[in-house]
Every structure is written in C-alpha cells, then in structure tokens.
Amino acid sequence: MNRFMRVTVAATAAAALFTGTAFAREPEQIESTVTYTEDDSYFINIPSTIQVGSDCTVSAYDVNIAPGKTVKIKLGNLWYNEGIQLTSVNDPTSTMCVKFYDADGTVFTESNNLVSSFTTLRNETQSTTIRAEVDGKDENVVAGEYTGTVNFDIICE
Amino acid sequence: MSASKKIVIGIAAALITMALFSAFRYTNTPEFDSNGVVWNGKQEIVTQTEIDHVSIPCFDTLHFTAGSTNQKVNFYNPDNNSCYMNMTIELDETEIWSIDNIAPGYGVYSLDLNEPLDSGVYNNCRFIVRCFDMESNAEMNGANVVFDLYVD
C-alpha cells in the first residue's frame, strides 16, 4: 500500500469514528403528536305517546358535545297537510290530521319543524314543550281510538 | 366461713351464672328467614314521567372499518325505557343494517353490514329508532339520528 492509500484509509477511519462518536453523543429526537377525539354523545327524551290536546315535553340530557355544536330536534314526518295522519284503530279508512304547536302557539310545518336547539352542558337537562291538536277530520269520522306516530329528527351540527 | 366471704362467693356465683346464660343465649339465637330480599344497593325507580318518554342515546359520528361487514358499535336501549327498539342504519336512504326487538337494558356491540363499505366519509347517514310497546306491540314515537360515517 502506498503512502497515498494509507493516508486515505486513515482519514476515512477517523471520519467514521468521529461521525459515530457524534451520533452517540447527540441521539436524534423525533417528535410525535398524540391526539385523541372524544366523539359527541347525548341523550334525547321523546314522548313515547302524545295525547292530542295535552302538552308533552322533549328534552336533552347528558349532553357532551364539542363547543360550538348544537343539538337540533325536528318534527320529521309532517307530510300530511303539514301534520301527521291518525288512523282509526277500528276503521283504517277513517283518518284525521293532527298538527303540532310550540309553547307560543305557533304551528309547526314541514319547512318550520325545529322543535328545539340544545347546547346544554353536561349534568343539565333542557326541555321544551309541544302540543298536538286535531286540525281537520271528516264529517263521517268514526268513533274510537286513532293512532299515528311522530318521528323526531335529531342532528348535532 | 365469714359472712363477707359468703357475700363475695354469692356475687361471684351470680356473675358466672349471668355470663353463662348470656353466652348460651347468644350462641343459640335461632336463625329465621328474613322478609324482603338480599340488599344489592339502590334500584332505579322508574317514575311515570320516565315511562311516558323514550330515552334515545344519540351520537353524531360512527367509525367503521373499510372492506369488512363486521363492525364494532355501542347501540343500546337504555334500561329506563319501557319499549322494544328496532334499529336501522341507512346510508343514502339505503338500509345497510337493522335489528329488531332490543329490550330495555340490551344492546349491540357487534354487527354485520349487508355489504362491506369502501373508505370515505358518508355524510347525513341515519340511525333510525322505532319503538314498540312491550305489551301491545303498538308502535310508539321514534327518532332518526343523523350522523356522519367515517370508513377507514
């Protein structure tokens, strides 16, 4: 091995040693961000049945939603003359229309169906009152019980 | 024997007799069946107000695994309800899963979709809850919970 080769090998070895020493003294640090998202959750109480002519309440509780979000409850199926259709238990051909009103007496319609907006804090309960009234019935309406169901649309946005 | 000794002996005899009697009485206390039931802590008492309502557990986000029909969820009928629940998931008004007759206090941890889903975010999906009286099976009011489905 000539002198040039010896010098080159010695320089390379020294550089490798120096580099290794440098890494050992200053370990590389890699940052990693830890994130977690707790999904929004809440409970809505809806009336299981609604007695026409009586008030009933819709409420929200255990609301755990992100700041700025709102839970909205709407009447979802006001498709029958802006109300819902009740049908006679005894005679399915006999029907009537029931409309819903807020506490101020304003009628809900298919386009104005927002019952309430809740931004309640946890461990609090907020409620709102609605009322159902018969809107129209045939002159030939038969006596007996009438039934129908309301579907509440619930959205958090 | 002196009078004082007789008194001391008499008192000692009386005390021993009382101690033996007490010990016999406590060790031979007859066991009897109690009325009532074994107390396991306070129970939830459902009031009439609660009976008249249905409690709907709501959410605004679900996370599913792409390419798999089996998914993990937390759907349940709260035990303070007094109705059966039928549950359905609709995506673009197409039913992708449903189950009937979930009693109060019961729920679903795992479900099988009708079809596996591709990755993506599906907005305005619907979790439809239909409620039925536990005696007459008459349908009661229900709810449609709107949510966003994230499939990864």
PDB file of all heavy atoms in Angstrom, chain A residues 39-48 50 57 61 69 149-154, chain B residues 51-58 60 63 76 139-146:
ATOM      1  N   ASP A  39     -65.843  11.426  20.846  1.00  0.00           N
ATOM      2  CA  ASP A  39     -66.995  11.724  19.990  1.00  0.00           C
ATOM      3  C   ASP A  39     -68.133  12.358  20.789  1.00  0.00           C
ATOM      4  O   ASP A  39     -68.297  12.092  21.987  1.00  0.00           O
ATOM      5  CB  ASP A  39     -67.494  10.444  19.315  1.00  0.00           C
ATOM      6  CG  ASP A  39     -66.526   9.946  18.248  1.00  0.00           C
ATOM      7  OD1 ASP A  39     -65.754  10.781  17.719  1.00  0.00           O
ATOM      8  OD2 ASP A  39     -66.533   8.746  17.951  1.00  0.00           O
ATOM      9  N   ASP A  40     -68.903  13.167  20.108  1.00  0.00           N
ATOM     10  CA  ASP A  40     -70.064  13.794  20.750  1.00  0.00           C
ATOM     11  C   ASP A  40     -71.086  12.721  21.134  1.00  0.00           C
ATOM     12  O   ASP A  40     -71.299  11.759  20.383  1.00  0.00           O
ATOM     13  CB  ASP A  40     -70.718  14.787  19.784  1.00  0.00           C
ATOM     14  CG  ASP A  40     -69.754  15.879  19.348  1.00  0.00           C
ATOM     15  OD1 ASP A  40     -69.000  16.355  20.205  1.00  0.00           O
ATOM     16  OD2 ASP A  40     -69.768  16.231  18.166  1.00  0.00           O
ATOM     17  N   SER A  41     -71.708  12.914  22.268  1.00  0.00           N
ATOM     18  CA  SER A  41     -72.768  11.984  22.674  1.00  0.00           C
ATOM     19  C   SER A  41     -73.782  12.731  23.532  1.00  0.00           C
ATOM     20  O   SER A  41     -73.435  13.705  24.205  1.00  0.00           O
ATOM     21  CB  SER A  41     -72.196  10.801  23.460  1.00  0.00           C
ATOM     22  OG  SER A  41     -71.613  11.260  24.662  1.00  0.00           O
ATOM     23  N   TYR A  42     -75.004  12.277  23.497  1.00  0.00           N
ATOM     24  CA  TYR A  42     -76.063  12.922  24.271  1.00  0.00           C
ATOM     25  C   TYR A  42     -77.298  12.040  24.241  1.00  0.00           C
ATOM     26  O   TYR A  42     -77.369  11.085  23.445  1.00  0.00           O
ATOM     27  CB  TYR A  42     -76.391  14.302  23.692  1.00  0.00           C
ATOM     28  CG  TYR A  42     -76.693  14.304  22.209  1.00  0.00           C
ATOM     29  CD1 TYR A  42     -78.007  14.307  21.751  1.00  0.00           C
ATOM     30  CD2 TYR A  42     -75.671  14.293  21.263  1.00  0.00           C
ATOM     31  CE1 TYR A  42     -78.289  14.298  20.390  1.00  0.00           C
ATOM     32  CE2 TYR A  42     -75.940  14.275  19.913  1.00  0.00           C
ATOM     33  CZ  TYR A  42     -77.252  14.280  19.479  1.00  0.00           C
ATOM     34  OH  TYR A  42     -77.522  14.250  18.132  1.00  0.00           O
ATOM     35  N   PHE A  43     -78.235  12.322  25.113  1.00  0.00           N
ATOM     36  CA  PHE A  43     -79.493  11.584  25.155  1.00  0.00           C
ATOM     37  C   PHE A  43     -80.639  12.549  24.853  1.00  0.00           C
ATOM     38  O   PHE A  43     -80.626  13.688  25.311  1.00  0.00           O
ATOM     39  CB  PHE A  43     -79.744  10.973  26.529  1.00  0.00           C
ATOM     40  CG  PHE A  43     -78.860   9.795  26.849  1.00  0.00           C
ATOM     41  CD1 PHE A  43     -77.591   9.994  27.344  1.00  0.00           C
ATOM     42  CD2 PHE A  43     -79.300   8.503  26.642  1.00  0.00           C
ATOM     43  CE1 PHE A  43     -76.765   8.924  27.643  1.00  0.00           C
ATOM     44  CE2 PHE A  43     -78.490   7.420  26.934  1.00  0.00           C
ATOM     45  CZ  PHE A  43     -77.217   7.629  27.437  1.00  0.00           C
ATOM     46  N   ILE A  44     -81.603  12.064  24.115  1.00  0.00           N
ATOM     47  CA  ILE A  44     -82.819  12.823  23.875  1.00  0.00           C
ATOM     48  C   ILE A  44     -83.995  12.023  24.414  1.00  0.00           C
ATOM     49  O   ILE A  44     -84.128  10.828  24.129  1.00  0.00           O
ATOM     50  CB  ILE A  44     -83.035  13.087  22.363  1.00  0.00           C
ATOM     51  CG1 ILE A  44     -81.878  13.915  21.792  1.00  0.00           C
ATOM     52  CG2 ILE A  44     -84.372  13.792  22.127  1.00  0.00           C
ATOM     53  CD1 ILE A  44     -81.753  15.308  22.340  1.00  0.00           C
ATOM     54  N   ASN A  45     -84.827  12.673  25.200  1.00  0.00           N
ATOM     55  CA  ASN A  45     -86.070  12.069  25.663  1.00  0.00           C
ATOM     56  C   ASN A  45     -87.202  12.549  24.778  1.00  0.00           C
ATOM     57  O   ASN A  45     -87.452  13.753  24.690  1.00  0.00           O
ATOM     58  CB  ASN A  45     -86.365  12.467  27.113  1.00  0.00           C
ATOM     59  CG  ASN A  45     -85.806  11.482  28.102  1.00  0.00           C
ATOM     60  OD1 ASN A  45     -85.402  10.380  27.735  1.00  0.00           O
ATOM     61  ND2 ASN A  45     -85.791  11.855  29.364  1.00  0.00           N
ATOM     62  N   ILE A  46     -87.861  11.617  24.132  1.00  0.00           N
ATOM     63  CA  ILE A  46     -89.033  11.985  23.333  1.00  0.00           C
ATOM     64  C   ILE A  46     -90.260  11.364  23.977  1.00  0.00           C
ATOM     65  O   ILE A  46     -90.150  10.341  24.660  1.00  0.00           O
ATOM     66  CB  ILE A  46     -88.909  11.491  21.872  1.00  0.00           C
ATOM     67  CG1 ILE A  46     -88.806   9.955  21.811  1.00  0.00           C
ATOM     68  CG2 ILE A  46     -87.711  12.131  21.192  1.00  0.00           C
ATOM     69  CD1 ILE A  46     -88.923   9.393  20.413  1.00  0.00           C
ATOM     70  N   PRO A  47     -91.418  11.969  23.802  1.00  0.00           N
ATOM     71  CA  PRO A  47     -92.630  11.342  24.359  1.00  0.00           C
ATOM     72  C   PRO A  47     -92.914  10.030  23.642  1.00  0.00           C
ATOM     73  O   PRO A  47     -92.868   9.981  22.410  1.00  0.00           O
ATOM     74  CB  PRO A  47     -93.718  12.389  24.097  1.00  0.00           C
ATOM     75  CG  PRO A  47     -93.191  13.228  22.982  1.00  0.00           C
ATOM     76  CD  PRO A  47     -91.714  13.223  23.095  1.00  0.00           C
ATOM     77  N   SER A  48     -93.152   8.984  24.413  1.00  0.00           N
ATOM     78  CA  SER A  48     -93.442   7.691  23.780  1.00  0.00           C
ATOM     79  C   SER A  48     -94.780   7.737  23.057  1.00  0.00           C
ATOM     80  O   SER A  48     -94.940   7.152  21.990  1.00  0.00           O
ATOM     81  CB  SER A  48     -93.429   6.574  24.820  1.00  0.00           C
ATOM     82  OG  SER A  48     -94.345   6.862  25.856  1.00  0.00           O
ATOM     83  N   ILE A  50     -98.203  10.643  22.390  1.00  0.00           N
ATOM     84  CA  ILE A  50     -98.666  12.021  22.558  1.00  0.00           C
ATOM     85  C   ILE A  50    -100.181  12.007  22.621  1.00  0.00           C
ATOM     86  O   ILE A  50    -100.839  11.497  21.708  1.00  0.00           O
ATOM     87  CB  ILE A  50     -98.187  12.908  21.390  1.00  0.00           C
ATOM     88  CG1 ILE A  50     -96.652  13.010  21.399  1.00  0.00           C
ATOM     89  CG2 ILE A  50     -98.808  14.301  21.485  1.00  0.00           C
ATOM     90  CD1 ILE A  50     -96.084  13.765  20.213  1.00  0.00           C
ATOM     91  N   THR A  57     -93.340  16.943  26.489  1.00  0.00           N
ATOM     92  CA  THR A  57     -92.009  17.553  26.508  1.00  0.00           C
ATOM     93  C   THR A  57     -90.997  16.718  25.728  1.00  0.00           C
ATOM     94  O   THR A  57     -91.092  15.501  25.648  1.00  0.00           O
ATOM     95  CB  THR A  57     -91.481  17.720  27.942  1.00  0.00           C
ATOM     96  OG1 THR A  57     -91.428  16.439  28.565  1.00  0.00           O
ATOM     97  CG2 THR A  57     -92.355  18.649  28.739  1.00  0.00           C
ATOM     98  N   TYR A  61     -80.387  15.466  27.713  1.00  0.00           N
ATOM     99  CA  TYR A  61     -79.608  15.383  28.943  1.00  0.00           C
ATOM    100  C   TYR A  61     -78.299  14.642  28.668  1.00  0.00           C
ATOM    101  O   TYR A  61     -78.127  14.007  27.622  1.00  0.00           O
ATOM    102  CB  TYR A  61     -80.407  14.713  30.068  1.00  0.00           C
ATOM    103  CG  TYR A  61     -80.738  13.257  29.874  1.00  0.00           C
ATOM    104  CD1 TYR A  61     -79.969  12.265  30.464  1.00  0.00           C
ATOM    105  CD2 TYR A  61     -81.829  12.872  29.110  1.00  0.00           C
ATOM    106  CE1 TYR A  61     -80.277  10.930  30.298  1.00  0.00           C
ATOM    107  CE2 TYR A  61     -82.136  11.542  28.932  1.00  0.00           C
ATOM    108  CZ  TYR A  61     -81.365  10.566  29.533  1.00  0.00           C
ATOM    109  OH  TYR A  61     -81.664   9.239  29.357  1.00  0.00           O
ATOM    110  N   LYS A  69     -71.130  23.367  18.862  1.00  0.00           N
ATOM    111  CA  LYS A  69     -72.122  22.488  18.247  1.00  0.00           C
ATOM    112  C   LYS A  69     -73.467  22.632  18.947  1.00  0.00           C
ATOM    113  O   LYS A  69     -73.540  23.018  20.119  1.00  0.00           O
ATOM    114  CB  LYS A  69     -71.662  21.043  18.304  1.00  0.00           C
ATOM    115  CG  LYS A  69     -70.603  20.699  17.264  1.00  0.00           C
ATOM    116  CD  LYS A  69     -70.403  19.203  17.191  1.00  0.00           C
ATOM    117  CE  LYS A  69     -69.523  18.821  16.012  1.00  0.00           C
ATOM    118  NZ  LYS A  69     -69.364  17.361  15.907  1.00  0.00           N
ATOM    119  N   THR A 149     -97.851   7.953  14.453  1.00  0.00           N
ATOM    120  CA  THR A 149     -96.572   8.140  15.139  1.00  0.00           C
ATOM    121  C   THR A 149     -95.840   9.366  14.612  1.00  0.00           C
ATOM    122  O   THR A 149     -96.012   9.767  13.460  1.00  0.00           O
ATOM    123  CB  THR A 149     -95.643   6.921  14.959  1.00  0.00           C
ATOM    124  OG1 THR A 149     -95.414   6.704  13.573  1.00  0.00           O
ATOM    125  CG2 THR A 149     -96.237   5.683  15.586  1.00  0.00           C
ATOM    126  N   VAL A 150     -95.052   9.944  15.484  1.00  0.00           N
ATOM    127  CA  VAL A 150     -94.200  11.072  15.133  1.00  0.00           C
ATOM    128  C   VAL A 150     -92.759  10.584  15.143  1.00  0.00           C
ATOM    129  O   VAL A 150     -92.348   9.861  16.050  1.00  0.00           O
ATOM    130  CB  VAL A 150     -94.334  12.214  16.166  1.00  0.00           C
ATOM    131  CG1 VAL A 150     -93.509  13.420  15.728  1.00  0.00           C
ATOM    132  CG2 VAL A 150     -95.772  12.588  16.357  1.00  0.00           C
ATOM    133  N   ASN A 151     -92.026  10.977  14.119  1.00  0.00           N
ATOM    134  CA  ASN A 151     -90.603  10.688  14.108  1.00  0.00           C
ATOM    135  C   ASN A 151     -89.837  11.983  14.324  1.00  0.00           C
ATOM    136  O   ASN A 151     -90.009  12.960  13.581  1.00  0.00           O
ATOM    137  CB  ASN A 151     -90.174  10.070  12.771  1.00  0.00           C
ATOM    138  CG  ASN A 151     -90.679   8.641  12.634  1.00  0.00           C
ATOM    139  OD1 ASN A 151     -90.674   7.886  13.589  1.00  0.00           O
ATOM    140  ND2 ASN A 151     -91.127   8.296  11.444  1.00  0.00           N
ATOM    141  N   PHE A 152     -88.999  11.973  15.356  1.00  0.00           N
ATOM    142  CA  PHE A 152     -88.193  13.161  15.654  1.00  0.00           C
ATOM    143  C   PHE A 152     -86.844  13.024  14.962  1.00  0.00           C
ATOM    144  O   PHE A 152     -86.150  12.014  15.148  1.00  0.00           O
ATOM    145  CB  PHE A 152     -87.998  13.292  17.161  1.00  0.00           C
ATOM    146  CG  PHE A 152     -89.268  13.632  17.906  1.00  0.00           C
ATOM    147  CD1 PHE A 152     -90.129  12.622  18.346  1.00  0.00           C
ATOM    148  CD2 PHE A 152     -89.622  14.953  18.151  1.00  0.00           C
ATOM    149  CE1 PHE A 152     -91.304  12.930  19.019  1.00  0.00           C
ATOM    150  CE2 PHE A 152     -90.799  15.260  18.820  1.00  0.00           C
ATOM    151  CZ  PHE A 152     -91.635  14.245  19.247  1.00  0.00           C
ATOM    152  N   ASP A 153     -86.499  14.006  14.153  1.00  0.00           N
ATOM    153  CA  ASP A 153     -85.165  14.038  13.536  1.00  0.00           C
ATOM    154  C   ASP A 153     -84.206  14.709  14.510  1.00  0.00           C
ATOM    155  O   ASP A 153     -84.483  15.825  14.992  1.00  0.00           O
ATOM    156  CB  ASP A 153     -85.202  14.806  12.215  1.00  0.00           C
ATOM    157  CG  ASP A 153     -85.860  13.999  11.110  1.00  0.00           C
ATOM    158  OD1 ASP A 153     -86.043  12.783  11.290  1.00  0.00           O
ATOM    159  OD2 ASP A 153     -86.216  14.597  10.071  1.00  0.00           O
ATOM    160  N   ILE A 154     -83.112  14.053  14.782  1.00  0.00           N
ATOM    161  CA  ILE A 154     -82.139  14.565  15.754  1.00  0.00           C
ATOM    162  C   ILE A 154     -80.795  14.716  15.056  1.00  0.00           C
ATOM    163  O   ILE A 154     -80.296  13.768  14.444  1.00  0.00           O
ATOM    164  CB  ILE A 154     -82.002  13.579  16.938  1.00  0.00           C
ATOM    165  CG1 ILE A 154     -83.370  13.369  17.605  1.00  0.00           C
ATOM    166  CG2 ILE A 154     -80.991  14.090  17.947  1.00  0.00           C
ATOM    167  CD1 ILE A 154     -83.411  12.180  18.552  1.00  0.00           C
TER     168      ILE A 154
ATOM    169  N   ILE B  51     -91.680   6.811  32.260  1.00  0.00           N
ATOM    170  CA  ILE B  51     -92.383   5.805  31.479  1.00  0.00           C
ATOM    171  C   ILE B  51     -93.003   6.444  30.240  1.00  0.00           C
ATOM    172  O   ILE B  51     -93.063   5.836  29.183  1.00  0.00           O
ATOM    173  CB  ILE B  51     -93.470   5.123  32.353  1.00  0.00           C
ATOM    174  CG1 ILE B  51     -92.801   4.255  33.405  1.00  0.00           C
ATOM    175  CG2 ILE B  51     -94.401   4.291  31.497  1.00  0.00           C
ATOM    176  CD1 ILE B  51     -93.760   3.679  34.421  1.00  0.00           C
ATOM    177  N   ASP B  52     -93.438   7.687  30.365  1.00  0.00           N
ATOM    178  CA  ASP B  52     -94.091   8.351  29.249  1.00  0.00           C
ATOM    179  C   ASP B  52     -93.109   8.805  28.186  1.00  0.00           C
ATOM    180  O   ASP B  52     -93.508   9.370  27.189  1.00  0.00           O
ATOM    181  CB  ASP B  52     -94.884   9.559  29.747  1.00  0.00           C
ATOM    182  CG  ASP B  52     -96.095   9.132  30.550  1.00  0.00           C
ATOM    183  OD1 ASP B  52     -96.547   7.997  30.365  1.00  0.00           O
ATOM    184  OD2 ASP B  52     -96.582   9.944  31.348  1.00  0.00           O
ATOM    185  N   HIS B  53     -91.840   8.614  28.429  1.00  0.00           N
ATOM    186  CA  HIS B  53     -90.835   9.052  27.474  1.00  0.00           C
ATOM    187  C   HIS B  53     -89.953   7.892  27.034  1.00  0.00           C
ATOM    188  O   HIS B  53     -89.856   6.884  27.712  1.00  0.00           O
ATOM    189  CB  HIS B  53     -89.951  10.150  28.086  1.00  0.00           C
ATOM    190  CG  HIS B  53     -90.636  11.471  28.189  1.00  0.00           C
ATOM    191  ND1 HIS B  53     -91.552  11.741  29.169  1.00  0.00           N
ATOM    192  CD2 HIS B  53     -90.555  12.578  27.413  1.00  0.00           C
ATOM    193  CE1 HIS B  53     -92.008  12.990  28.994  1.00  0.00           C
ATOM    194  NE2 HIS B  53     -91.425  13.511  27.938  1.00  0.00           N
ATOM    195  N   VAL B  54     -89.355   8.087  25.897  1.00  0.00           N
ATOM    196  CA  VAL B  54     -88.350   7.133  25.421  1.00  0.00           C
ATOM    197  C   VAL B  54     -87.020   7.857  25.387  1.00  0.00           C
ATOM    198  O   VAL B  54     -86.909   8.947  24.826  1.00  0.00           O
ATOM    199  CB  VAL B  54     -88.694   6.620  24.008  1.00  0.00           C
ATOM    200  CG1 VAL B  54     -87.610   5.670  23.524  1.00  0.00           C
ATOM    201  CG2 VAL B  54     -90.047   5.929  23.997  1.00  0.00           C
ATOM    202  N   SER B  55     -86.035   7.252  25.994  1.00  0.00           N
ATOM    203  CA  SER B  55     -84.697   7.839  26.020  1.00  0.00           C
ATOM    204  C   SER B  55     -83.895   7.280  24.838  1.00  0.00           C
ATOM    205  O   SER B  55     -83.760   6.065  24.691  1.00  0.00           O
ATOM    206  CB  SER B  55     -84.019   7.486  27.346  1.00  0.00           C
ATOM    207  OG  SER B  55     -82.753   8.081  27.411  1.00  0.00           O
ATOM    208  N   ILE B  56     -83.387   8.190  24.006  1.00  0.00           N
ATOM    209  CA  ILE B  56     -82.644   7.787  22.803  1.00  0.00           C
ATOM    210  C   ILE B  56     -81.168   8.169  22.983  1.00  0.00           C
ATOM    211  O   ILE B  56     -80.845   9.354  23.066  1.00  0.00           O
ATOM    212  CB  ILE B  56     -83.186   8.507  21.547  1.00  0.00           C
ATOM    213  CG1 ILE B  56     -84.710   8.404  21.463  1.00  0.00           C
ATOM    214  CG2 ILE B  56     -82.489   7.984  20.291  1.00  0.00           C
ATOM    215  CD1 ILE B  56     -85.235   7.113  20.956  1.00  0.00           C
ATOM    216  N   PRO B  57     -80.271   7.188  23.033  1.00  0.00           N
ATOM    217  CA  PRO B  57     -78.833   7.520  23.062  1.00  0.00           C
ATOM    218  C   PRO B  57     -78.405   8.001  21.671  1.00  0.00           C
ATOM    219  O   PRO B  57     -78.614   7.299  20.688  1.00  0.00           O
ATOM    220  CB  PRO B  57     -78.148   6.193  23.409  1.00  0.00           C
ATOM    221  CG  PRO B  57     -79.240   5.228  23.708  1.00  0.00           C
ATOM    222  CD  PRO B  57     -80.476   5.738  23.080  1.00  0.00           C
ATOM    223  N   CYS B  58     -77.819   9.182  21.610  1.00  0.00           N
ATOM    224  CA  CYS B  58     -77.512   9.786  20.301  1.00  0.00           C
ATOM    225  C   CYS B  58     -76.012   9.988  20.115  1.00  0.00           C
ATOM    226  O   CYS B  58     -75.251  10.034  21.077  1.00  0.00           O
ATOM    227  CB  CYS B  58     -78.219  11.135  20.178  1.00  0.00           C
ATOM    228  SG  CYS B  58     -80.006  11.033  20.327  1.00  0.00           S
ATOM    229  N   ASP B  60     -73.119  11.662  16.814  1.00  0.00           N
ATOM    230  CA  ASP B  60     -73.078  12.323  15.510  1.00  0.00           C
ATOM    231  C   ASP B  60     -71.972  11.776  14.623  1.00  0.00           C
ATOM    232  O   ASP B  60     -71.760  12.266  13.516  1.00  0.00           O
ATOM    233  CB  ASP B  60     -72.949  13.839  15.653  1.00  0.00           C
ATOM    234  CG  ASP B  60     -71.611  14.260  16.221  1.00  0.00           C
ATOM    235  OD1 ASP B  60     -70.876  13.382  16.700  1.00  0.00           O
ATOM    236  OD2 ASP B  60     -71.302  15.461  16.168  1.00  0.00           O
ATOM    237  N   HIS B  63     -67.524   5.202  13.351  1.00  0.00           N
ATOM    238  CA  HIS B  63     -66.304   4.805  12.647  1.00  0.00           C
ATOM    239  C   HIS B  63     -66.411   3.321  12.299  1.00  0.00           C
ATOM    240  O   HIS B  63     -66.567   2.483  13.195  1.00  0.00           O
ATOM    241  CB  HIS B  63     -65.076   5.054  13.528  1.00  0.00           C
ATOM    242  CG  HIS B  63     -64.894   6.484  13.903  1.00  0.00           C
ATOM    243  ND1 HIS B  63     -64.177   7.372  13.136  1.00  0.00           N
ATOM    244  CD2 HIS B  63     -65.367   7.203  14.958  1.00  0.00           C
ATOM    245  CE1 HIS B  63     -64.204   8.570  13.711  1.00  0.00           C
ATOM    246  NE2 HIS B  63     -64.924   8.492  14.821  1.00  0.00           N
ATOM    247  N   TYR B  76     -77.645   0.717  22.117  1.00  0.00           N
ATOM    248  CA  TYR B  76     -78.381   0.062  23.193  1.00  0.00           C
ATOM    249  C   TYR B  76     -79.696   0.768  23.474  1.00  0.00           C
ATOM    250  O   TYR B  76     -79.899   1.917  23.099  1.00  0.00           O
ATOM    251  CB  TYR B  76     -77.532   0.000  24.467  1.00  0.00           C
ATOM    252  CG  TYR B  76     -77.198   1.338  25.079  1.00  0.00           C
ATOM    253  CD1 TYR B  76     -77.853   1.792  26.220  1.00  0.00           C
ATOM    254  CD2 TYR B  76     -76.218   2.155  24.523  1.00  0.00           C
ATOM    255  CE1 TYR B  76     -77.541   3.015  26.780  1.00  0.00           C
ATOM    256  CE2 TYR B  76     -75.900   3.379  25.076  1.00  0.00           C
ATOM    257  CZ  TYR B  76     -76.565   3.793  26.208  1.00  0.00           C
ATOM    258  OH  TYR B  76     -76.259   5.008  26.754  1.00  0.00           O
ATOM    259  N   GLU B 139     -96.859   0.496  17.773  1.00  0.00           N
ATOM    260  CA  GLU B 139     -95.716   1.374  17.514  1.00  0.00           C
ATOM    261  C   GLU B 139     -95.894   2.691  18.255  1.00  0.00           C
ATOM    262  O   GLU B 139     -96.980   3.280  18.275  1.00  0.00           O
ATOM    263  CB  GLU B 139     -95.541   1.625  16.013  1.00  0.00           C
ATOM    264  CG  GLU B 139     -94.314   2.473  15.727  1.00  0.00           C
ATOM    265  CD  GLU B 139     -93.842   2.390  14.281  1.00  0.00           C
ATOM    266  OE1 GLU B 139     -94.546   1.773  13.461  1.00  0.00           O
ATOM    267  OE2 GLU B 139     -92.766   2.948  13.991  1.00  0.00           O
ATOM    268  N   MET B 140     -94.809   3.161  18.833  1.00  0.00           N
ATOM    269  CA  MET B 140     -94.792   4.442  19.542  1.00  0.00           C
ATOM    270  C   MET B 140     -93.982   5.423  18.707  1.00  0.00           C
ATOM    271  O   MET B 140     -93.538   5.096  17.596  1.00  0.00           O
ATOM    272  CB  MET B 140     -94.177   4.247  20.927  1.00  0.00           C
ATOM    273  CG  MET B 140     -94.887   3.163  21.738  1.00  0.00           C
ATOM    274  SD  MET B 140     -93.854   2.398  22.995  1.00  0.00           S
ATOM    275  CE  MET B 140     -94.027   3.564  24.310  1.00  0.00           C
ATOM    276  N   ASN B 141     -93.796   6.625  19.244  1.00  0.00           N
ATOM    277  CA  ASN B 141     -92.999   7.607  18.510  1.00  0.00           C
ATOM    278  C   ASN B 141     -91.549   7.130  18.402  1.00  0.00           C
ATOM    279  O   ASN B 141     -91.078   6.366  19.236  1.00  0.00           O
ATOM    280  CB  ASN B 141     -93.050   8.957  19.216  1.00  0.00           C
ATOM    281  CG  ASN B 141     -94.463   9.515  19.261  1.00  0.00           C
ATOM    282  OD1 ASN B 141     -95.230   9.344  18.310  1.00  0.00           O
ATOM    283  ND2 ASN B 141     -94.820  10.163  20.356  1.00  0.00           N
ATOM    284  N   GLY B 142     -90.875   7.600  17.373  1.00  0.00           N
ATOM    285  CA  GLY B 142     -89.500   7.161  17.145  1.00  0.00           C
ATOM    286  C   GLY B 142     -88.592   8.326  16.834  1.00  0.00           C
ATOM    287  O   GLY B 142     -88.981   9.496  16.942  1.00  0.00           O
ATOM    288  N   ALA B 143     -87.360   7.994  16.454  1.00  0.00           N
ATOM    289  CA  ALA B 143     -86.381   9.051  16.193  1.00  0.00           C
ATOM    290  C   ALA B 143     -85.449   8.642  15.057  1.00  0.00           C
ATOM    291  O   ALA B 143     -85.192   7.448  14.840  1.00  0.00           O
ATOM    292  CB  ALA B 143     -85.561   9.337  17.447  1.00  0.00           C
ATOM    293  N   ASN B 144     -84.991   9.639  14.328  1.00  0.00           N
ATOM    294  CA  ASN B 144     -83.964   9.454  13.303  1.00  0.00           C
ATOM    295  C   ASN B 144     -82.754  10.283  13.708  1.00  0.00           C
ATOM    296  O   ASN B 144     -82.819  11.512  13.706  1.00  0.00           O
ATOM    297  CB  ASN B 144     -84.456   9.930  11.938  1.00  0.00           C
ATOM    298  CG  ASN B 144     -85.760   9.266  11.531  1.00  0.00           C
ATOM    299  OD1 ASN B 144     -85.932   8.076  11.733  1.00  0.00           O
ATOM    300  ND2 ASN B 144     -86.680  10.043  10.974  1.00  0.00           N
ATOM    301  N   VAL B 145     -81.686   9.609  14.059  1.00  0.00           N
ATOM    302  CA  VAL B 145     -80.468  10.317  14.463  1.00  0.00           C
ATOM    303  C   VAL B 145     -79.563  10.454  13.238  1.00  0.00           C
ATOM    304  O   VAL B 145     -79.156   9.452  12.644  1.00  0.00           O
ATOM    305  CB  VAL B 145     -79.737   9.560  15.587  1.00  0.00           C
ATOM    306  CG1 VAL B 145     -78.495  10.335  16.025  1.00  0.00           C
ATOM    307  CG2 VAL B 145     -80.667   9.322  16.767  1.00  0.00           C
ATOM    308  N   VAL B 146     -79.279  11.688  12.868  1.00  0.00           N
ATOM    309  CA  VAL B 146     -78.429  11.954  11.702  1.00  0.00           C
ATOM    310  C   VAL B 146     -76.968  11.957  12.146  1.00  0.00           C
ATOM    311  O   VAL B 146     -76.631  12.552  13.171  1.00  0.00           O
ATOM    312  CB  VAL B 146     -78.803  13.305  11.065  1.00  0.00           C
ATOM    313  CG1 VAL B 146     -77.919  13.586   9.854  1.00  0.00           C
ATOM    314  CG2 VAL B 146     -80.269  13.308  10.661  1.00  0.00           C
TER     315      VAL B 146
END
